[in-house]
Amino acid sequence: MNITEYRAKEILKKEGVAVPRGVLIDCQEHVVKAINQLPGSHVVLKAQIHSGHRKKSGAILISNKSRAPADAKRLLGKTIKGEEVRELLVEQKLEIKREHYLAVTIDNALEEIRIMYSPWGGVDIEEVVAWDPHKITNVQLNNVQFNIPQTKGKKSAENKSKKTALARLKKKLKQNKIPAEISNLCAKLIELFYKYDALLIEINPLAETKTGFVAVDAKIIIDDNALYRQPKLAPFAQENLGPLERKAREQNLQYVELEGDIAVIGNGAGLVMASLDMIDTFGGKASNFLDVGGGGAASETRRALSIVLLKPGVHGLFLNIFGGITHCDDIAQGIVAYSRKHNLRIPIVVRMIGTREKEAKALLKKNGVHVFEEMEEAAKRIVALVHKQKK
Amino acid sequence: MGILINKKTRSIVQGITGKHGSFHTRLMRAYGTNIVAGVTPGKGGREVETVPVYNTVKEALRNHQAEWSVIFVPAPFAKSAAFEALNAGLHIVIITENIPILDSLQIMWRAKQLKRVVIGPNCPGITSVDECKLGIMPNHIFTQGDVGVVSRSGTLTYEIIHQIARGGLGQTTAVGIGGDPIGGVDFVDILERFEHDVATKRIVLIGEIGGDFEVRAADYIKEHVTKPVVAYIAGQTAPPGKRMGHAGAIITGNRATAQAKIDALRKAGVPVAKLPSEVVRLLKKGA
């Protein structure tokens, strides 16, 4: 889950990392009041959208105070990179001596936590590092058994491990010639990383000012799997989802909206991805990805159908089920119940094999739905039917 | 023959009293797996499918001998269950999905310290055909043969195994390494074991978008694998930035796309099937 800059800064501020003074507004009427609270002749207007490279896409504007209300009006409600701007962060403009870069993330391949620091921060950090990899310092960290909230019993041991790890980290940072002030900040970010179950904390630019380092921009990604123990962050999880994706999430279904017109349901992420690819190979386009998961029942199938068929412009339905824990006849019952209730008129092709396949086939056949055993044959068929229908 | 587990393997099941734990204990035993004990805190003294249940792993191992544990424990408790098994000297298969990444990371660190094998999390487990099954793969799809299978997914693996069987070929061992960005054994670990396994004559690798596991596998194959390898990569049409069901199945950079993986594998001399059904044909051609 990618949280907005404002929320990321709230977290940083709470944990003792300096951020610029700022006010969040969601309507233009509050702009003037916000501006009056901030020092200096200029303010920075920052659209709170989730996509990156905001400066380059015009989502961040620096304006003098007299022009700021008009600029804010322009930004609010505008759509940038497919996202509507609903909130603006109005911030003081700082005197910056130098822009640095600091991030903590997980290196999946090495299975380590990685700290990245560069004194050449700012919007072009990626290019700077691409040109000269020595301009960024990477420090790897492992074996930090931290005090994650859930493990209460072993707190003292884990706290000790944490202290040792932080001491080790500071030593490593010193060896890498990272300034003491940055090193202290790193230790703080590592603690934050665990405390909030982050997958990424990125501060760019980290501004060097007269009074110290300030996080001028901040990006934090929180692990969706850990939201059960992050009750304060959990409500933001659905912010940047579309309405159907939100509905699917509420029902514990894995759903992704796509561009095509053939609705796809399957059990297992790999099998569904392969189904999308097959449909594409045979000349069709899927309108979604939906994994009903293992052991899916009739009710789950009905819910899955109600999501994928809600999307406008769907011309066909393809189900691909490999029965293992999942019973084919459960899925079949769901299909029959749904299509009766909603009087489905689009072509349906079902591919089923495995546990209770015979019962499923008999039931679907009785209701006029053709069942295939081989998935490629089935994928070809749905593409052909949809093409025919559109003609 | 096959890798990692065989007829002699003994295992416990953590989370044995739960719905999935008890159901799959029955199926694993039906396959011939030697499940010696189960563990669920607070439920010691019971029996599940005639398997005795204990409160802790330690207690179970005081009364039984085992080398492995299969973990069905819900995500919030999976880390401590895994630590318990690792600290008791067991290798582990973690079936549980949705484990927080920082928990997984700590599990992997502990396993490395103790030199234990971890398969998963978020995986279907491992089956050495007609010898032993640890996990949730359907019993009926396997036939004995000479193909080693390693995959990041579940049902897609069953699908391809089913097609291998229809094509008249069988398997030695099938390993589902799981769909999470942080996991235990990876393609390289399993390829290395298949390369050294006398019964395995050829290998199927089933990958998907996200991470660079397959690119690293390709590098390894080029240098170290002499047996023929055939690959299939799911997610060739997946859009970037969207998580396709598996936590790890998300395109975040050039190396994470299906095409980058396909290119790397082909460059390493590995034929990549466009459709799942082509896997069998390519296997037969290569051997």
Side-chain angles (χ1 to χ4, degrees), chain B residues 12 38-42 44 53-62 84:
Chain B
I12 63 165
V39 173
T40 301
V53 180
Y54 298 88
N55 287 320
T56 64
V57 173
K58 240 188 198 162
E59 207 184 316
L61 293 184
R62 261 204 298 272
E84 204 188 332

Side-chain angles (χ1 to χ4, degrees), chain A residues 111 143-145 148 150 223 225 228-229 245 256 267-268 271 274 277 280 289 322 351 353 374-376, chain B residues 76 98-101 103 106 108-109 155 158-159 162 166 181-183 232 235-237 242-244 276-277:
Chain A
E111 300 194 331
N143 281 323
V144 196
Q145 308 289 359
I148 285 186
Q150 124 222 18
D223 184 357
N225 286 345
Y228 72 89
R229 61 188 183 200
E245 285 175 326
V256 178
N267 63 330
L271 193 65
D277 295 348
D280 183 81
F289 165 103
F322 195 101
R351 182 279 177 141
I353 191 168
E374 290 309 314
M375 63 177 189
E376 284 165 28
Chain B
N98 301 325
I99 297 179
I101 286 186
D103 287 10
Q106 294 179 73
M108 301 315 153
W109 290 340
T155 44
Y158 315 156
E159 177 74 46
H162 158 78
R166 276 174 44 111
I182 296 283
Y232 175 78
Q236 294 164 41
T237 57
K242 292 278 182 187
R243 190 160 270 124
M244 305 299 271
S277 65

Side-chain angles (χ1 to χ4, degrees), chain A residues 232-245:
Chain A
K232 283 189 185 144
L233 297 172
F236 308 135
Q238 308 195 334
E239 264 184 350
N240 52 344
L241 296 179
L244 287 178
E245 285 175 326

